[in-house]
Amino acid sequence: MSLPLRLCREITRGHWGDMIQDEQTSGGDLRALQQALLDQKARTAATSEILKVIGRSREDIQPVFETIIRSATELCDAQFGMLWRYEDERVHYCASHGFTEDFLQDYLKNFPAEIDEAKMAGRVFVTGKPAYLRDAQATDYGDYKTARSFGFKEMLALPIEAGGAIWGALVLGWPVGKSPQPGDQQLLETFADQASIAIENARLISETQKALDKQTATSSILHSISKSPTDVMPVLHTIVSTACQLLECDIAIVHLTNGKYYWPAA
């Protein structure tokens, strides 16, 4: 039995509509997948770059901080990023991306500074946990004037740990109309971990170098003693010169005494 022509047309029209909708859905899924792959590729490249910088900057880790904050800001599509360090109960500036040099020169005149819980880095240093701010332009935020001047609103900050304590903080801000995405916090955690690795590597290298310097100094003094078994002055001169080098000081003096008076000998 044949269907009426009108009904056939309706069925055909509905079939093609479903096909077009399916095609549009498939196309959207494909574009989303392609974008996800591109994002993952960019993140992998950024991680690789940071690890290379860590390998090249074993003692001077400032290039590592600069690479981390630049990569974090760009990959999270943020307006700016700042990396802060907490030491001696004060907040110190480390690196940033997205601000002009003129602004930084003026802004950083107030640093190092005491912890301010009204600001993002301060919240992280006090709680030791990530912090999120919905509206940095609200007057209860400690730096709302800067937020209004530059036009950023939402902010996210994560701690950087080193040696079992909070070493610093990563802080990012997004312009009005943009927000941190679901994967951004996890990405920032990866960058914070890489900063921790760089800090720990620098600490270990510094401690190893100090131990080697001490061994070298001891060997130098013992060698001087063996060469001057009856003359103490060369030994004393070696001691003071070695002390200046190891302690990075300008003056070292050895005094001798007879029990009543003392005098400089080297």
Side-chain angles (χ1 to χ4, degrees), residues 19-64:
M19 288 183 64
I20 292 172
Q21 184 176 1
D22 290 344
E23 183 67 23
Q24 290 174 342
T25 301
S26 299
D29 292 342
L30 180 59
R31 286 191 293 273
L33 178 60
Q34 290 174 337
Q35 186 60 49
L37 291 174
L38 289 174
D39 291 344
Q40 184 59 45
K41 184 177 180 180
R43 295 180 180 188
T44 301
T47 301
S48 177
E49 181 185 3
I50 293 170
L51 292 176
K52 289 179 181 178
V53 176
I54 291 175
R56 294 194 301 264
S57 309
R58 297 186 177 184
E59 294 182 66
D60 179 16
I61 54 178
Q62 182 61 30
V64 178

Side-chain angles (χ1 to χ4, degrees), residues 16-237:
W16 278 107
D18 291 341
M19 288 183 64
I20 292 172
Q21 184 176 1
D22 290 344
E23 183 67 23
Q24 290 174 342
T25 301
S26 299
D29 292 342
L30 180 59
R31 286 191 293 273
L33 178 60
Q34 290 174 337
Q35 186 60 49
L37 291 174
L38 289 174
D39 291 344
Q40 184 59 45
K41 184 177 180 180
R43 295 180 180 188
T44 301
T47 301
S48 177
E49 181 185 3
I50 293 170
L51 292 176
K52 289 179 181 178
V53 176
I54 291 175
R56 294 194 301 264
S57 309
R58 297 186 177 184
E59 294 182 66
D60 179 16
I61 54 178
Q62 182 61 30
V64 178
F65 296 147
E66 293 172 354
T67 303
I68 284 175
I69 200 63
R70 173 178 55 79
S71 298
T73 304
E74 292 177 351
L75 288 177
C76 292
D77 199 22
Q79 182 175 349
F80 76 90
M82 300 192 83
L83 196 155
W84 299 96
R85 174 169 57 92
Y86 179 58
E87 185 177 20
D88 298 329
E89 298 184 352
R90 298 181 73 81
V91 179
H92 300 256
Y93 169 80
C94 281
S96 65
H97 183 75
F99 288 118
T100 64
E101 288 298 325
D102 290 339
F103 167 78
L104 287 175
Q105 287 181 3
D106 184 61
Y107 185 77
L108 297 177
K109 290 178 181 178
N110 300 319
F111 291 91
E114 295 182 354
I115 289 179
D116 184 354
E117 290 188 60
K119 297 182 179 180
M120 293 298 282
R123 296 181 187 183
V124 170
F125 294 144
V126 170
T127 65
K129 298 178 180 180
Y132 168 73
L133 181 64
R134 184 177 297 277
D135 188 1
Q137 297 185 10
T139 54
D140 57 346
Y141 177 58
D143 209 4
Y144 74 92
K145 291 182 179 179
T146 303
R148 292 180 178 181
S149 175
F150 279 87
F152 62 86
K153 195 169 185 179
E154 295 188 52
M155 299 181 69
L156 183 62
L158 272 80
I160 298 173
E161 297 183 12
I166 301 300
W167 183 94
L170 284 171
V171 180
L172 266 65
W174 282 262
V176 175
K178 288 189 177 182
S179 302
Q181 298 302 302
D184 287 344
Q185 180 168 333
Q186 183 178 0
L187 179 61
L188 289 179
E189 289 173 354
T190 300
F191 287 132
D193 290 342
Q194 291 176 330
S196 299
I197 292 172
I199 295 164
E200 186 64 16
N201 282 351
R203 183 187 67 81
L204 292 174
I205 290 172
S206 177
E207 290 181 354
T208 302
Q209 187 60 52
K210 287 180 180 178
L212 291 174
D213 290 342
K214 289 180 180 180
Q215 291 178 0
T216 302
T218 301
S219 298
S220 178
I221 294 171
L222 292 175
H223 180 67
S224 179
I225 292 173
S226 66
K227 289 180 60 179
S228 308
T230 59
D231 185 5
V232 71
M233 293 307 298
V235 178
L236 298 181
H237 284 298

